[in-house]
Amino acid sequence: MGYDIFLMPKTRDEEKAYRITLCEEKNTDLSETFTFFHSGEVGENGLKQVEAILAIDLSAFKRSPANYMLDTGELEYSLYLAEEQNDTIKIAQIKVQIEQAKVDWDKSYDTDHRGWTLLTEMRQVVQTLIQKMEEQPDFGKHIKDAEGWGDYFLVKPSQRKYGEQRLINDLQNLLATMDCMEAEGVEYVGFVGM
């Protein structure tokens, strides 16, 4: 199991998140190649190249939610070290800091939209990208380091092979995923890596 990119809904409603997950299971996950495309791990950054070749703003793909989940990792590690040293004063201080971080995160989650994208904006970006790809179906020939990408940028292949990964399919899966989220009233989405 490696690093993957997911489009996440901004919700803390566990039942809503569960219904979205059930709906998404009907769709195909994003391909492993999409993770490379998004993160730039294969040769030249695919996202930047596609953005330049098709003259499209893909900044919505690059945003990362600032408050997707509570991050107390450093505090938890400091607590571990304080417990190892049996420093009761420091333990108490760190526990207060952790509780305050939880309160602060809880208060700001619904109002802090840094790094999140309106679902309607993300849908528009994906639809525009699909349209531009269909208007310029040979754009993939202009991708540097094309051998690292294989046929990922082909829009309409002559014969599609089993298990083949294509950007166009990943974008269609993103639209289906957004349909699931929209049906549950989600307003904001963001790409998260895990």
Side-chain angles (χ1 to χ4, degrees), residues 29-41:
D29 292 333
L30 296 174
S31 71
E32 182 179 282
T33 308
F34 184 83
T35 299
F36 298 137
F37 168 72
H38 185 273
S39 65
E41 289 184 21

Side-chain angles (χ1 to χ4, degrees), residues 1-113:
M1 187 161 115
Y3 182 78
D4 291 313
I5 296 288
F6 300 94
L7 184 66
M8 301 302 274
K10 184 173 187 180
T11 183
R12 54 171 124 196
D13 181 333
E14 290 180 19
E15 288 181 26
K16 182 186 288 190
Y18 179 70
R19 288 190 302 270
I20 291 169
T21 300
L22 288 178
C23 178
E24 287 176 321
E25 286 177 356
K26 298 173 190 169
N27 307 315
T28 306
D29 292 333
L30 296 174
S31 71
E32 182 179 282
T33 308
F34 184 83
T35 299
F36 298 137
F37 168 72
H38 185 273
S39 65
E41 289 184 21
V42 174
E44 296 283 328
N45 185 301
L47 185 70
K48 288 180 186 175
Q49 289 187 73
V50 168
E51 195 171 39
I53 293 166
L54 295 178
I56 184 172
D57 178 8
L58 297 177
S59 58
F61 279 42
K62 300 172 194 171
R63 294 182 199 134
S64 182
N67 65 345
Y68 167 64
M69 58 193 306
L70 177 63
D71 183 9
T72 57
E74 286 183 36
L75 288 171
E76 298 286 344
Y77 183 67
S78 295
L79 178 61
Y80 165 78
L81 293 176
E83 289 172 343
E84 287 288 309
Q85 296 170 352
N86 205 18
D87 186 338
T88 56
I89 294 172
K90 197 165 198 155
I91 291 171
Q93 290 172 338
I94 295 170
K95 285 183 176 181
V96 167
Q97 290 175 326
I98 291 171
E99 287 308 309
Q100 186 60 50
K102 290 176 182 177
V103 168
D104 292 345
W105 181 83
D106 193 53
K107 284 196 299 191
S108 70
Y109 183 80
D110 293 325
T111 57
D112 183 358
H113 303 303

Side-chain angles (χ1 to χ4, degrees), residues 115-163:
W116 292 97
T117 303
L118 282 167
L119 186 140
T120 54
E121 178 188 346
M122 185 67 75
R123 180 183 301 282
Q124 183 62 46
V125 168
V126 171
Q127 289 171 333
T128 302
L129 179 53
I130 290 172
Q131 178 185 1
K132 286 184 173 271
M133 288 172 61
E134 290 173 343
E135 290 169 359
Q136 298 179 51
D138 66 340
F139 81 97
K141 294 177 182 175
H142 304 288
I143 301 289
K144 293 178 187 172
D145 197 24
E147 67 276 355
W149 292 104
D151 293 334
Y152 188 65
F153 296 109
L154 289 180
V155 177
K156 294 183 181 178
S158 55
Q159 283 188 328
R160 185 152 184 238
K161 301 170 199 132
Y162 175 76

